[in-house]
Amino acid sequence: MSDNKPSATRRQFLGGAALAAGAAATGKLVHAQAADPLITELQPWQQFLGPGVDAAPYGMPSPFESHVVRRNVPWLTADSVSSVNFTPLHEMEGIITPNGLAFERHHGGVAEIDPADHRLMINGLVDTQMVFTMQDLMRFPRENRTYFLECAANSGMEWRGAQLNGCQFTHGMIHNVVYTGVPLRLLLEEAGVQTNGTWLLAEGADASAMTRSIPMEKCLDDCLVATHMNGERLRPEQGYPLRLVVPGWEGNMWVKWLRRLEVGDQPWHHREETSKYTDLLANGDARRFTWVMDAKSVITNPSPQAPILHGPGPTVLTGVAWSGRGTIPRVDVTLDGGMNWHQARMSGPSFDKSMHRFYFEFDWDGSELLLQSRAHDSTGYVQPTKDQLREIRGENSIYHNNGIQTWLVRENGESENVEVG
Ligand SMILES: Nc1nc2c(c(=O)[nH]1)N[C@H]1C(S)=C(S)[C@@H](COP(=O)(O)O)O[C@H]1N2
Ligand SMILES: [Mo]
């Protein structure tokens, strides 16, 4: 390394490239510093050999990314065994949630199960009761599909007004993962569902023995019994070695550590389903069995945990959108609390019942902004405002809040969770 200082022509080239990219995006120049010592001077990491290939047999993110973690809100639940933490949406790009960042929701902590000791049983109204080992399951044809999982309580704290300061906490009970699994239909066909078998009870092997009733129609449609997430085995937190995937439906039905499937002719009565997983309507009636997650979106940057640090000028806004009923062909964004809407640019794969990524590049004049995003799904449904939802459901709801989120961005680039009337 005799000459590590870039030549004048190379420096001009780098500066020129930066200028061209900035100009293409916004028509304004990004100012590159002429003689930045970080590019003109030899740096320590250029002078020594780094660790070799076996330093981390299972690789981890850069130590400079150590702030990118799941976080919880300690006052939300009494203890961490029956609790929840949140995906750091404001630190992510694309549509896939890395396995180590997928939020967790447990009712009895994480079960630690040796796959050699794990069994899946199918009983009830079937021709043949069956017990599968993990090896048995791996002999069925499997599929790869990308789906979001959203807890029905996501954004639940926001019903009465702006509460939590950051999209991680307001919207982070969601993850989006490529699952590998056996279609549930194939296992049910193997056991032979009897004609009066209209419901399925799914049971987990954890201490909470989480049980959920699912209509047979959904089970035979697109549910998976998943073994892998994002190319590797499920994480213990996500139900290793086996979890039920119920695409587009609320997270509590996606039973983890799946050990038993019982076919019945009516739904089972679950303690939680009647008390907790029920939406109260404004007139006091309960809205039961509302399983599909309606279209929803949130701007992840800028947001309270992700202020604008660069000042006025070219600014990239981004966020995510999803629908339990299909794809997201379109997202609108507003910078002024809904007076003017602009169509955002969708980027990345568009899968059914999966997260979608959107961008909106704009020239920030440095004045206050009221940012909102509004998702349209492939059925034509448009994400409602929080007030529109409250008209139907009142203020005492907890679950299924898919209302439009507002961030107030101040002149200094910091932002906070607000509501506009
Ligand atoms: N066995 C079992 N399955 C479970 C739960 C549980 O506590 N035990 N929690 C449910 C709830 S309420 C949600 S929102 C999702 C959360 O999935 P995650 O931990 O992968 O985020 O799992 C569901 N499946
Ligand atoms: Mo949940």
Side-chain angles (χ1 to χ4, degrees):
M1 285 204 227
S2 54
D3 180 14
N4 282 288
K5 299 198 175 164
S7 68
T9 47
R10 173 138 176 88
R11 221 160 40 224
Q12 277 161 6
F13 171 76
L14 288 172
L19 294 178
T26 62
K28 262 208 146 188
L29 300 185
V30 173
H31 295 288
Q33 211 179 316
D36 183 342
L38 282 168
I39 194 69
T40 57
E41 304 302 321
L42 192 61
Q43 300 301 317
W45 51 88
Q46 297 176 287
Q47 301 173 45
F48 306 101
L49 296 175
V53 286
D54 287 331
Y58 193 97
M60 295 297 284
S62 160
F64 298 103
E65 298 297 315
S66 60
H67 57 287
V68 182
V69 289
R70 302 185 278 220
R71 290 179 196 279
N72 64 17
V73 177
W75 53 264
L76 269 185
T77 49
D79 60 85
S80 69
V81 170
S82 179
S83 189
V84 61
N85 59 21
F86 301 86
T87 303
L89 293 174
H90 62 293
E91 297 284 359
M92 294 161 48
E93 285 285 339
I95 65 163
I96 297 299
T97 311
N99 290 343
L101 296 179
F103 89 98
E104 309 164 66
R105 173 77 179 101
H106 318 304
H107 293 76
V110 177
E112 191 185 293
I113 303 175
D114 180 341
D117 296 336
H118 192 71
R119 299 289 182 272
L120 174 65
M121 177 182 191
I122 302 186
N123 68 330
L125 303 175
V126 290
D127 296 336
T128 321
Q129 288 201 12
M130 306 203 120
V131 175
F132 301 98
T133 64
M134 291 304 293
Q135 270 187 6
D136 295 336
L137 293 174
M138 297 311 287
R139 300 176 72 177
F140 283 85
R142 47 188 185 267
E143 293 193 10
N144 296 291
R145 296 200 233 119
T146 307
Y147 294 121
F148 75 84
L149 179 165
E150 183 181 16
C151 177
N154 201 21
S155 314
M157 299 306 296
E158 304 294 309
W159 270 108
R160 291 178 195 203
Q163 277 282 331
L164 299 171
N165 238 352
C167 65
Q168 178 166 17
F169 306 113
T170 56
H171 290 74
M173 281 194 230
I174 187 167
H175 50 63
N176 199 61
V177 160
V178 186
Y179 292 96
T180 306
V182 178
L184 177 54
R185 180 178 52 80
L186 295 183
L187 300 180
L188 291 170
E189 279 171 6
E190 189 77 12
V193 174
Q194 294 172 356
T195 44
N196 56 339
T198 48
W199 288 84
L200 189 73
L201 178 88
E203 181 186 279
D206 52 327
S208 80
M210 180 98 175
T211 51
R212 284 289 170 262
S213 297
I214 307 166
M216 187 57 69
E217 212 185 353
K218 179 69 174 172
C219 299
L220 298 175
D221 179 15
D222 56 0
C223 292
L224 296 176
V225 173
T227 51
H228 291 69
M229 60 192 290
N230 294 329
E232 64 179 2
R233 290 282 176 173
L234 291 169
R235 290 289 173 91
E237 304 94 298
Q238 264 68 46
Y240 179 88
L242 203 61
R243 121 169 276 174
L244 193 60
V245 169
V246 190
W249 288 28
E250 59 187 39
N252 73 80
M253 307 181 86
W254 298 49
V255 173
K256 301 190 277 191
W257 311 290
L258 183 67
R259 69 178 295 273
R260 194 168 70 90
L261 298 166
E262 182 176 341
V263 178
D265 57 5
Q266 56 189 354
W268 281 257
H269 293 287
H270 306 301
R271 204 166 12 98
E272 293 205 41
E273 207 158 306
T274 42
S275 60
K276 288 170 68 187
Y277 291 96
T278 299
D279 301 325
L280 273 181
L281 298 181
N283 65 9
D285 286 354
R287 175 174 172 257
R288 281 196 70 195
F289 298 145
T290 50
W291 299 301
V292 182
M293 302 308 291
D294 285 319
K296 186 165 168 180
S297 68
V298 67
I299 293 170
T300 55
N301 309 78
S303 64
Q305 297 161 288
I308 302 177
L309 298 172
H310 54 56
T315 301
V316 174
L317 176 156
T318 188
V320 285
W322 59 94
S323 165
R325 300 180 196 277
T327 59
I328 301 287
R330 174 175 159 194
V331 175
D332 305 320
V333 301
T334 176
L335 308 178
D336 52 21
M339 286 193 290
N340 299 285
W341 289 94
H342 315 275
Q343 197 168 331
R345 181 171 62 85
M346 308 305 296
S347 174
S350 169
F351 297 125
D352 189 45
K353 305 178 182 76
S354 162
M355 213 179 246
H356 291 63
R357 171 66 57 176
F358 65 87
Y359 293 95
F360 182 69
E361 292 83 11
F362 68 103
D363 216 337
W364 184 37
D365 63 8
S367 62
E368 269 191 6
L369 304 170
L370 281 171
L371 304 181
Q372 298 177 328
S373 62
R374 179 172 71 188
H376 300 243
D377 78 12
S378 48
T379 69
Y381 174 92
V382 182
Q383 186 183 357
T385 64
K386 287 203 209 170
D387 281 343
Q388 284 168 339
L389 278 180
R390 286 188 193 111
E391 271 171 39
I392 307 167
R393 304 237 212 105
E395 290 193 3
N396 293 323
S397 283
I398 299 173
Y399 298 104
H400 293 272
N401 179 358
N402 67 319
I404 290 174
Q405 173 66 45
T406 312
W407 307 127
L408 164 68
V409 179
R410 298 195 185 283
E411 290 164 354
N412 64 5
E414 287 172 6
S415 74
E416 66 182 89
N417 184 2
V418 299
E419 276 197 37
V420 287

